[in-house]
Amino acid sequence: EVQLLQSGAEVKKPGESLKISCKASGYSFASYWIGWVRQMPGKGLEWMGIIYPGDFDTRYSPSFEGQITISADKIISTAYLQWSSLKVSDTAMYYCARVSESGSSTDPLDPWGQGTRVTVSS
Amino acid sequence: DIQMTQSPSSLSASVGDRVTIACRASQGISNYLAWYQQKPGKVPKLLISAASTLQPGVPSRLRGSGSGTYFTLTISGLQPEDVATYYCQNYNSVPFTFGGGTKVEIK
C-alpha cells in the first residue's frame, strides 16, 4: 500500500527555521514526482512545487520560489519542505502528495499525506 | 501562470438534485484537469483525472467533462456524503494551479 507519512504539528516563532518531512512507503520513491500543497486556515489549496527524487529535479510555483526549499533523500524515501525564516503568514496546513504516475510530472496528485499543521506566532 | 476559476464558490442543493460545478482555465490545458474532493477536516482526495476518468471507488453519480479551457463536474443525485469542497487542478504546465474551490452543502 502506498503511504505518505508526514511529520507532526509545529509551533514556531517568526524568523525561525523549519523543515517538515514526508516519508514514503509502498513504492519506488525515486520513480515518482512528489509535491507540496499549502492550505491556509479556511482557504483553498495552493500548489507549491514538486521534486523528482530520482535526479532531484525541482519545480516551484513562482508564488513560493525563493521562500521555500523542497528536497528529498532517496536513501530514506523522504521528501522535505523547509523555510529559513518563517513568517506569521506561513501558518497553514501543508500536504505532501505523490504524482500518480511513475516518471511523469504531468499527472494528478494521489495519494496525499495526512498533513502537517504549522503555526507561526510570536 | 494558468489561472483556474471555479464557479460557483458555493452551492446548496437538496438530496437527489443534480449539481454542476464549472472550472475555467485561462488558457488551453487539453484534458490535463483533475478534480479533488475535500470533506471538512479531511485530506483532499482525487476523484477524476484527465478531465473525465473516474478514480476507482468513486461513485458513478460523479461525472467530469470538458477539454481545453472549460470543464465541469456534475453530481447526479446529490447525497449527504457529497458534502465537501471540490477543487479543480491544472496539471498541464507548472505551476499546477488549483481552482478556488466550490463548497457543496445540503439544503
Side-chain angles (χ1 to χ4, degrees):
Chain A
E1 181 193 2
V2 175
Q3 285 192 320
L4 299 174
L5 184 63
Q6 297 187 228
S7 49
E10 301 274 1
V11 180
K12 307 291 277 186
K13 294 189 185 313
E16 292 186 330
S17 62
L18 177 63
K19 192 173 188 177
I20 63 175
S21 65
C22 171
K23 182 166 177 59
S25 61
Y27 72 97
S28 174
F29 179 70
S31 300
Y32 289 76
W33 290 79
I34 193 162
W36 289 93
V37 175
R38 182 174 80 174
Q39 188 167 38
M40 299 175 77
K43 302 297 183 183
L45 305 174
E46 298 175 89
W47 189 89
M48 303 175 75
I50 50 173
I51 187 167
Y52 188 67
D55 62 5
F56 305 111
D57 187 5
T58 308
R59 316 282 172 83
Y60 292 96
S61 166
S63 299
F64 292 94
E65 188 144 30
Q67 311 303 311
I68 57 164
T69 301
I70 293 172
S71 60
D73 185 332
K74 283 188 288 192
I75 305 300
I76 57 172
S77 299
T78 300
Y80 300 98
L81 175 63
Q82 69 180 94
W83 297 258
S84 59
S85 180
L86 285 161
K87 304 179 184 68
V88 171
S89 57
D90 292 317
T91 295
M93 181 73 85
Y94 292 89
Y95 295 101
C96 66
R98 194 195 75 172
V99 174
S100 57
E101 296 299 320
S102 173
S104 168
S105 64
T106 53
D107 274 287
L109 297 170
D110 182 53
W112 293 55
Q114 84 276 20
T116 296
R117 187 170 301 280
V118 174
T119 303
V120 184
S121 173
S122 54
Chain B
D1 298 2
I2 296 174
Q3 309 303 317
M4 306 299 291
T5 304
Q6 282 184 240
S7 61
S9 56
S10 65
L11 67 88
S12 181
S14 299
V15 171
D17 281 355
R18 175 177 167 166
V19 302
T20 298
I21 299 167
C23 176
R24 191 178 297 272
S26 60
Q27 56 186 274
I29 59 170
S30 184
N31 68 338
Y32 289 81
L33 190 283
W35 289 98
Y36 299 86
Q37 177 193 62
Q38 187 178 32
K39 295 186 177 182
K42 301 297 186 184
V43 176
K45 172 189 172 184
L46 176 66
L47 297 176
I48 290 171
S49 61
S52 61
T53 302
L54 233 59
Q55 296 304 293
V58 175
S60 58
R61 64 178 180 275
L62 274 70
R63 186 172 71 89
S65 65
S67 183
T69 61
Y70 187 73
F71 304 86
T72 59
L73 172 66
T74 299
I75 306 174
S76 300
L78 187 68
Q79 298 299 307
E81 57 265 34
D82 298 328
V83 168
T85 300
Y86 294 83
Y87 297 93
C88 61
Q89 183 204 17
N90 138 59
Y91 56 91
N92 179 69
S93 60
V94 169
F96 296 153
T97 42
F98 291 92
T102 297
K103 187 174 184 179
V104 174
E105 298 176 317
I106 299 289
K107 212 181 275 186

